[in-house]
């Protein structure tokens, strides 16, 4: 009976005429606010971008005006919707991705920030971190959060605000203030103050979130002297949290995803299984490896972080950053004037058969993962009378890959999982020579997708999943490769290149004492 009913029901079902629905990705970055609109096939159909002011009130301090961040973000949302000729009712969901760790505190009653946002780059609390380290707190902090005790993360920025803005601590004790990373701030504005939330990926960058229990941690809150009343509710990275209520952008759009920028990038590259890794080749190089449900601790200065949570499934990741990546090409261009455009580096490097024995260690601002030496400085080794600007350029491009390889080796060593494929994006990922050299020395398949806007794409993917617009399997089919690079270099040559590279790295260390 039941079966007959079902088959009859199917026959009678009217053909659904479904209007095209769209996903809005809000990509709030360190230097600009962007908004991208994606159609039902996850294809971008509109994009708007607006830069905002950077404030440097003292050496080492970096601030943003949180109201200006919102003004620029809401402007680009309006522009992108106008470009695509969409109304709020056409939007199936909004995905948010954001600069991480940047800290805002606002009054709950008015929604007004009590001070500028303190940006992730800001070093004002470096001495506070040092004091806590000297008091022996780092092991506990690292065990609970997967992070290092560093000014980069939010906790000491929150304490600084409570201690330096008049009346802030008393107000916080009375529960009158709210803390948020930029995602929380945007959701507050989008919902006219209705929601005070963040997602696990952003929470995991605050130094206050225990990544095993998935809770704010009392011991950490006590260490940094932060009242729990400040904190947002922590949600998964892909669910409908609520609806927009702000008339500046339109009401009734479901807010359906939140993820920090690097994590969203990892998802946008569909590195959704353990062992998959991505590298963003921008000014610096940012690597992340999905370690699945397993939290991998690092003994070599990599960070352990939450990649995302979908439903009750949590993915962890290892993260490593290289300070100077594409910036070394910028330096050859602007500092030495070797060529006019960054893209010219590819042809110039290709005009010689090899690096001619030249190795360039671009420790221009010290060395990041996995060498960690703030006192290292840049150096070029192996110069002879035959060295030309082409060799120098080739060595510079190779240095980007050597540094990435050092992090990849560490990922493999610490996770025990070999990386078979590296998915790449960022401004320098268009350089074929760079991509090929990476494949050669790292013995991995290097894959460049057609859509290099992976951060916004990741936020859109997560939002589309939450609202049922697509499944992960459908996204896999949709995701397109522009080009794959396979290793094609004799092992002896690889071994020799890496030996010289590591020798060069050692000689740059501890230079600026
Ligand atoms: P960010 O987001 O960090 O500002 P982008 O992702 O826009 O950086 O990448 C810009 C960086 O990439 C610059 O440092 C530039 O020198 C480098 N770059 C851009 N195009 C190329 C290229 N074709 N080859 C090598 N490097 C490049």
């Amino acid at each position: 009976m039941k079966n007959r009913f079902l088959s009859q029901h199917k026959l009678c079902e009217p053909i659904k005429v479904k209007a095209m629905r769209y996903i809005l990705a809000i990509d709030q970055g360190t230097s600009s606010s962007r908004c991208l609109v994606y159609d039902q096939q996850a294809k971008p159909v509109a994009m708007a971008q607006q830069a905002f002011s950077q404030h440097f009130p003292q050496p080492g301090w970096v601030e943003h005006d949180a109201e200006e961040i919102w003004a620029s973000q809401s402007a680009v949302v309006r522009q992108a919707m106008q470009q695509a000729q969409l109304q709020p009712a056409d939007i199936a969901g909004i995905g948010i991705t954001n600069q991480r760790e940047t800290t805002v505190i606002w009054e709950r009653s008015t929604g007004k920030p009590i001070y500028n946002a303190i940006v992730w780059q800001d070093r004002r609390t470096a001495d506070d971190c040092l004091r806590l380290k000297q008091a022996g707190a780092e092991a506990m902090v690292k065990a609970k959060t997967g992070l290092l005790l560093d000014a980069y993360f939010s906790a000491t920025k929150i304490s600084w605000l409570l201690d330096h803005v008049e009346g802030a601590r008393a107000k916080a004790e009375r529960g009158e203030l709210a803390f948020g990373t930029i995602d929380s701030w945007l959701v507050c504005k989008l919902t006219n103050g209705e929601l005070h939330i963040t997602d696990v990926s952003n929470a995991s960058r605050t130094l206050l979130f225990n990544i095993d229990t998935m809770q704010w941690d009392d011991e950490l809150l006590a260490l940094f002297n932060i009242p729990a009343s400040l904190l947002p509710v922590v949600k998964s990275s892909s669910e409908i949290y609520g609806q927009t209520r702000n008339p500046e952008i339109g009401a009734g759009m479901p807010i359906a995803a939140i993820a920090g920028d690097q994590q969203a990038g990892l998802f946008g590259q569909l590195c959704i299984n353990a062992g998959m890794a991505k590298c963003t080749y921008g000014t610096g190089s940012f690597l992340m490896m999905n370690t699945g449900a397993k939290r991998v601790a690092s003994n070599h200065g990599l960070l352990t972080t939450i990649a995302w949570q979908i439903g009750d499934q949590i993915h962890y990741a290892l993260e490593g950053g290289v300070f100077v990546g594409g910036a070394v090409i910028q330096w050859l261009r602007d500092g030495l004037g070797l060529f006019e455009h960054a893209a010219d580096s590819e042809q110039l490097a290709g005009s010689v058969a090899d690096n001619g024995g030249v190795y360039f260690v671009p420790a221009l601002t010290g060395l990041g993962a996995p060498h960690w030496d703030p006192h290292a400085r840049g150096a070029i080794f192996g110069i002879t009378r035959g060295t030309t600007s082409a060799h120098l350029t080739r060595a510079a491009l190779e240095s980007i890959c050597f540094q990435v390889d050092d992090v990849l080796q560490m990922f493999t060593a610490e996770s025990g999982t070999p990386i078979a494929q590296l998915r790449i994006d960022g401004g320098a990922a268009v350089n074929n020579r760079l991509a090929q050299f990476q494949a050669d020395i790292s013995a991995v398949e290097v894959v460049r997708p057609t859509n290099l806007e992976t951060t916004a794409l990741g936020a859109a993917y997560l939002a589309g999943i939450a609202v049922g617009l697509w499944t992960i399997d459908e996204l896999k089919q949709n995701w397109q490769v522009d080009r794959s690079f396979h290793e094609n270099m004799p092992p002896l040559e690889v071994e020799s290149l890496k030996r010289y590279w590591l020798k060069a790295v050692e000689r740059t260390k501890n230079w600026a004492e």
Side-chain angles (χ1 to χ4, degrees):
M1 279 303 280
K2 200 175 170 196
N3 283 345
R4 207 165 81 213
F5 171 74
L6 273 182
S7 56
Q8 277 172 357
H9 184 72
K10 249 188 194 150
L11 281 174
C12 299
E13 201 174 43
I15 299 163
K16 280 187 199 151
V17 185
K18 219 164 125 193
M20 186 70 127
R21 314 276 332 263
Y22 296 83
I23 296 285
L24 263 183
I26 285 179
D27 179 2
Q28 206 303 303
T30 309
S31 48
S32 71
S33 299
R34 289 145 45 87
C35 178
L36 281 89
V37 181
Y38 295 86
D39 70 13
Q40 233 159 276
Q41 275 74 48
K43 279 209 195 68
V45 294
M47 199 279 267
Q49 176 163 6
Q50 193 171 310
F52 55 86
S53 321
Q54 309 285 319
H55 301 277
F56 308 105
Q58 289 190 31
W61 291 28
V62 188
E63 296 178 2
H64 291 158
D65 175 349
E67 294 284 14
E68 192 189 351
I69 286 186
W70 167 249
S72 61
Q73 193 63 66
S74 66
V76 293
V77 167
R78 285 192 300 274
Q79 284 164 26
M81 284 177 66
Q82 221 162 36
Q83 266 178 41
Q85 300 192 323
L86 299 177
Q87 300 300 317
D90 301 316
I91 304 300
I94 297 180
I96 298 172
T97 180
N98 55 288
Q99 52 165 321
R100 303 177 302 173
E101 297 106 11
T102 297
T103 298
V104 192
I105 295 184
W106 64 93
E107 303 246 9
R108 286 187 186 276
S109 60
T110 61
K112 293 265 173 278
I114 62 166
Y115 191 85
N116 275 343
I118 302 185
V119 179
W120 57 274
Q121 299 154 326
D122 190 291
R123 305 300 305 169
R124 81 185 64 187
T125 56
D127 287 345
D128 302 332
C129 291
L130 196 62
R131 266 194 298 281
L132 289 170
K133 259 191 211 174
Q134 283 163 349
E138 189 161 56
M140 181 274 281
V141 169
K142 195 177 159 206
K144 290 191 169 194
T145 66
L147 307 174
L148 304 169
L149 231 176
D150 194 276
Y152 186 77
F153 307 107
S154 312
T156 55
K157 300 182 198 293
I158 302 174
S159 310
W160 189 93
L161 287 168
L162 295 181
D163 291 335
H164 291 82
V165 178
E166 209 188 319
R169 189 163 284 285
K171 281 186 188 166
E173 305 287 356
R174 292 197 298 269
E176 292 167 15
L177 301 182
F179 148 75
T181 39
I182 294 297
D183 54 311
S184 305
W185 169 244
L186 293 177
V187 172
C188 169
K189 298 305 281 186
L190 287 165
T191 62
N192 262 354
E194 186 185 274
L195 291 180
H196 183 212
I197 57 167
T198 188
D199 90 301
V200 290
S201 72
N202 277 293
S204 77
R205 313 297 296 189
T206 58
L207 282 181
L208 302 173
F209 192 69
N210 184 319
I211 63 171
D212 292 318
T213 63
M214 304 294 281
Q215 307 274 346
W216 298 118
D217 189 281
D218 288 338
E219 197 179 356
L220 292 168
L221 288 168
L223 178 72
F224 296 107
N225 195 16
I226 294 171
S229 66
L230 279 168
L231 301 173
V233 175
V234 184
K235 299 282 194 175
S236 79
S237 317
S238 174
E239 65 179 277
I240 299 176
Y241 314 108
Q243 316 267 328
T244 57
R245 296 198 182 282
N246 192 324
E248 287 176 53
I249 56 151
M253 295 184 273
I255 306 168
I258 303 175
D261 52 13
Q262 293 304 314
Q263 286 94 331
L266 190 69
F267 200 81
Q269 286 280 21
L270 284 186
C271 292
I272 49 175
N273 298 320
M276 298 182 81
K278 71 99 186 172
C279 178
T280 302
Y281 297 88
T283 306
S285 303
F286 289 96
L287 289 107
M288 216 178 226
M289 174 189 188
N290 187 334
T291 62
K294 193 166 104 191
R295 175 195 168 171
V296 175
S298 171
N299 295 314
H300 295 93
L302 300 176
L303 303 175
T304 307
T305 199
I306 294 174
W308 52 74
Q309 179 185 354
I310 301 175
D312 52 12
Q313 264 214 330
I314 294 153
H315 276 255
Y316 290 92
L318 275 174
E319 177 175 328
V322 175
F323 301 142
V324 172
V328 69
I329 300 298
Q330 258 167 338
W331 183 72
L332 291 185
R333 183 192 63 192
D334 306 336
L336 299 189
L338 291 194
F339 39 79
E340 203 178 335
H341 305 288
D344 301 339
S345 62
E346 184 167 348
Q347 209 198 353
L348 186 56
S351 67
V352 284
D354 53 35
N355 65 15
V358 178
Y359 290 80
F360 187 162
V361 184
L364 309 183
T365 56
L367 286 170
H371 303 290
W372 296 112
D373 185 348
H375 303 297
R377 286 297 176 269
I380 301 165
F381 297 91
I383 301 172
T384 65
R385 289 189 68 167
T387 300
T388 65
S389 59
H391 291 115
L392 201 56
T393 305
R394 188 154 178 142
L397 275 182
E398 290 181 355
S399 78
I400 301 175
C401 303
F402 283 129
Q403 294 183 96
V404 166
D405 185 60
D406 291 341
V407 177
L408 286 177
Q409 303 281 343
M410 208 50 73
F411 279 175
T412 305
E414 301 215 299
S415 69
T417 313
I419 293 166
Q421 196 188 63
L422 180 68
R423 298 190 167 182
I424 66 170
D425 52 59
V430 298
N431 189 309
N432 293 324
R433 179 159 296 281
L434 177 142
Q436 182 58 52
F437 193 71
Q438 193 72 67
D440 287 337
I441 61 160
S442 302
V444 290
E445 183 190 6
V446 170
V447 175
R448 185 172 63 204
T450 44
N451 187 344
L452 290 176
E453 294 277 1
T454 55
T455 310
L457 187 64
Y461 279 176
L462 287 164
I465 290 170
V467 299
L469 210 57
W470 45 60
T471 62
I472 288 187
D473 282 339
E474 284 165 350
L475 290 175
K476 278 190 201 160
Q477 279 161 27
N478 183 274
W479 197 80
Q480 281 179 353
V481 174
D482 166 39
R483 192 166 159 186
S484 287
F485 300 84
H486 299 271
E487 63 175 301
N488 183 26
M489 191 183 270
L492 276 179
E493 197 177 331
V494 175
E495 198 253 331
S496 162
L497 282 164
K498 287 204 204 183
R499 191 157 39 84
Y500 274 103
W501 162 255
L502 289 176
K503 189 158 129 184
V505 168
E506 284 313 311
R507 292 186 184 192
T508 64
K509 287 186 180 171
N510 200 26
W511 178 260
E513 291 160 54

